[in-house]
Amino acid sequence: MTYLDKIKDQSIGIIYGGLSPEHDISILTALQVERLLTDAGVSTQMIYWTKFNTFLQVPNGLEAKDYLEPEIKGSKELQIVLGGEASGLYIGKKLNSKNQLSIDVVLNCCHGGPGEEGELFGALAIAQIPVSGASKTSSASISMDKLATHSVAKASGVPVAENFLVTKEMLEGTEKAPFEGPYILKPRFGGSSIGIEIVDDFETLCSLVKSAPAFKRGAVADKYLNDWHDLNIACVTYPEVEVSFIEKPTKSDDAKMWDYNNKYLGGADGMENAQRELPAVLPKGIEEKIKQYAKRVAQAMDLTGIARIDFLWDGKSDGTKECQGPDTGLIFVEANVPPGSLSLYLWEATGFDRAEILARLVSEAIEIQPAKIWDSSFADGLALRNAGSIASKLY
């Protein structure tokens, strides 16, 4: 029996949109997921997280253009109730069984913002609703924090580029950068391509960080590696860590890096239509190293669900060098959880059915029930019985 067969009796909510610069990309991902599961005979309900921080149940079968207007025909407002017997999603204001949205599990198709950073996962987990994708810990604390991602990868033996945190002292002029530019300047928290800039020198870097809203929550800078090649691989974690073929994206002629425009605006199908070499023609050693490092990163970051793990390759190294750092000719860049279009095109190229991959995500979410994430059984009241008065603790 396939994973798809196992979820045929499940009602699946697909959550997408959210308060993020990648709101539109999330919509496109969700519309693809809905079509795949519906065509496979799986019951789905679309849950749209609007730009106004409200949740709507919207009809299935909509197109991208239907989301251009504030009002979506046929939509109904939803509310999320946390805790107690009434936990769940409800249509309208009345909390009764008639208005409760009947879903067994949620597929998270949000990119960036609280949908990817873990807030959505935490809310649904408290509401006792199983949800796919990375947990609050691996999303917010690691994969969405570029400094933490870099540190965890390096600590697990995966080579990374030289980088540094842009500190307050640097912006005030009392501290210098640890190495010369050019740099790739990135918002410390956020998606893989929003707000990223290539800057030639430290003075320009500091000026941008002080003036651009994208860097309000902090910034990190990597050494810019000119003429290195982007290489991406997808990873699923259920029932065990498994990786796809590797792709080598092709940038537009005038692009210095594989940015938002190259990823998502390359045609009607976005990433599906982006120029790429798939599978990438690589030295055997580089291919093996990427697969090895991708699995290592997934385990070190405690990823769940589906991820796209990105690397840079100098185009010359054959993967035989073991030393740490960019002189290996291969470095880890970041993990995207969940990636645009859930990287389903990579799995299809590898020989997997797209709907079957989605069924794996659903099965993983159901198996790891939210109730198992937290446990208060150790809090047996002993500390309260022995506490005495609060006044005695204050003085």
Side-chain angles (χ1 to χ4, degrees):
M1 179 181 286
T2 66
Y3 288 105
L4 197 54
D5 292 330
K6 291 179 181 178
I7 69 164
K8 286 290 179 70
D9 60 345
Q10 303 290 323
S11 177
I12 299 169
I14 300 171
I15 289 189
Y16 57 103
L19 308 178
S20 164
E22 298 173 88
H23 181 98
D24 295 354
I25 307 306
S26 174
I27 293 172
L28 296 176
T29 294
L31 294 181
Q32 294 174 64
V33 168
E34 184 265 319
R35 292 293 198 284
L36 286 166
L37 290 177
T38 300
D39 289 349
V42 178
S43 173
T44 61
Q45 300 196 52
M46 301 295 278
I47 304 167
Y48 176 41
W49 189 354
T50 74
K51 294 178 181 179
F52 309 103
N53 202 22
T54 59
F55 291 87
L56 301 176
Q57 181 193 34
V58 302
N60 286 21
L62 296 184
E63 296 291 344
K65 61 181 175 59
D66 295 316
Y67 291 84
L68 293 174
E69 300 297 330
E71 297 291 330
I72 299 177
K73 189 176 180 180
S75 64
K76 300 174 183 177
E77 190 165 349
L78 295 172
Q79 60 173 319
I80 301 177
V81 177
L82 307 181
E85 293 184 0
S87 288
L89 289 159
Y90 291 83
I91 300 171
K93 303 297 182 184
K94 294 182 179 179
L95 305 185
N96 55 46
S97 57
K98 182 180 178 181
N99 291 341
Q100 187 168 18
L101 197 64
S102 179
I103 56 173
D104 300 300
V105 61
V106 161
L107 266 175
N108 181 8
C109 291
C110 294
H111 302 309
E116 188 173 340
E117 289 183 6
E119 284 81 1
L120 177 65
F121 180 95
L124 292 175
I126 293 171
Q128 302 290 293
I129 301 173
V131 56
S132 72
S135 68
K136 171 73 177 163
T137 303
S138 59
S139 286
S141 302
I142 306 178
S143 64
M144 289 294 280
D145 180 343
K146 293 181 178 67
L147 187 66
T149 299
H150 183 279
S151 300
V152 169
K154 187 175 181 179
S156 60
V158 176
V160 293
E162 291 183 272
N163 90 333
F164 61 88
L165 175 68
V166 181
T167 64
K168 179 183 176 183
E169 290 75 17
M170 289 178 182
L171 299 178
E172 292 174 346
T174 60
E175 185 179 313
K176 296 295 183 183
F179 54 84
E180 297 293 324
Y183 311 99
I184 292 188
L185 179 62
K186 307 175 181 180
R188 178 173 173 179
F189 300 95
S192 61
S193 56
I194 301 293
I196 294 179
E197 301 277 356
I198 297 175
V199 294
D200 291 327
D201 55 73
F202 185 60
E203 183 180 349
T204 305
L205 180 149
C206 290
S207 177
L208 264 175
V209 173
K210 286 189 281 189
S211 62
F215 304 110
K216 188 175 291 186
R217 295 174 64 195
V220 295
D222 289 3
K223 182 71 175 176
Y224 175 60
L225 301 170
N226 191 30
D227 293 331
W228 283 47
H229 303 277
D230 293 282
L231 297 174
N232 306 324
I233 188 169
C235 169
V236 289
T237 57
Y238 182 86
E240 59 186 4
V241 178
E242 195 164 356
V243 294
S244 72
F245 281 165
I246 301 163
E247 68 165 334
K248 179 183 173 186
T250 305
K251 301 186 289 285
S252 58
D253 293 339
D254 58 345
K256 291 185 177 180
M257 61 181 174
W258 196 50
D259 59 7
Y260 185 91
N261 288 339
N262 282 275
K263 286 182 183 180
Y264 301 122
L265 305 181
D269 298 319
M271 289 192 73
E272 295 275 329
N273 201 43
Q275 302 271 326
R276 62 173 57 87
E277 184 179 274
L278 178 62
V281 179
L282 302 168
K284 191 67 177 175
I286 290 293
E287 182 180 338
E288 290 174 353
K289 276 287 188 296
I290 288 175
K291 291 180 178 180
Q292 173 191 337
Y293 290 153
K295 291 180 179 180
R296 194 179 296 177
V297 164
Q299 293 175 58
M301 293 174 62
D302 192 27
L303 296 181
T304 51
I306 195 165
R308 192 190 73 241
I309 301 178
D310 300 347
F311 294 85
L312 284 172
W313 173 51
D314 65 3
K316 298 171 284 190
S317 302
D318 61 6
T320 58
K321 237 181 174 182
E322 292 293 342
C323 58
Q324 292 295 300
D327 55 340
T328 58
L330 177 69
I331 60 168
F332 163 78
V333 178
E334 62 189 352
N336 300 275
V337 188
S341 301
L342 301 187
S343 291
L344 293 173
Y345 61 92
L346 288 175
W347 291 108
E348 184 176 62
T350 309
F352 289 85
D353 179 77
R354 294 186 183 213
E356 183 69 11
I357 290 294
L358 295 176
R360 284 200 194 192
L361 305 187
V362 173
S363 298
E364 181 179 39
I366 292 170
E367 185 169 309
I368 306 173
Q369 294 289 337
K372 297 178 182 177
I373 296 174
W374 300 289
D375 181 11
S376 58
S377 60
F378 186 77
D380 56 6
L382 184 60
L384 300 177
R385 284 191 291 272
N386 295 336
S389 72
I390 297 301
S392 68
K393 293 184 177 297
L394 295 176
Y395 299 99

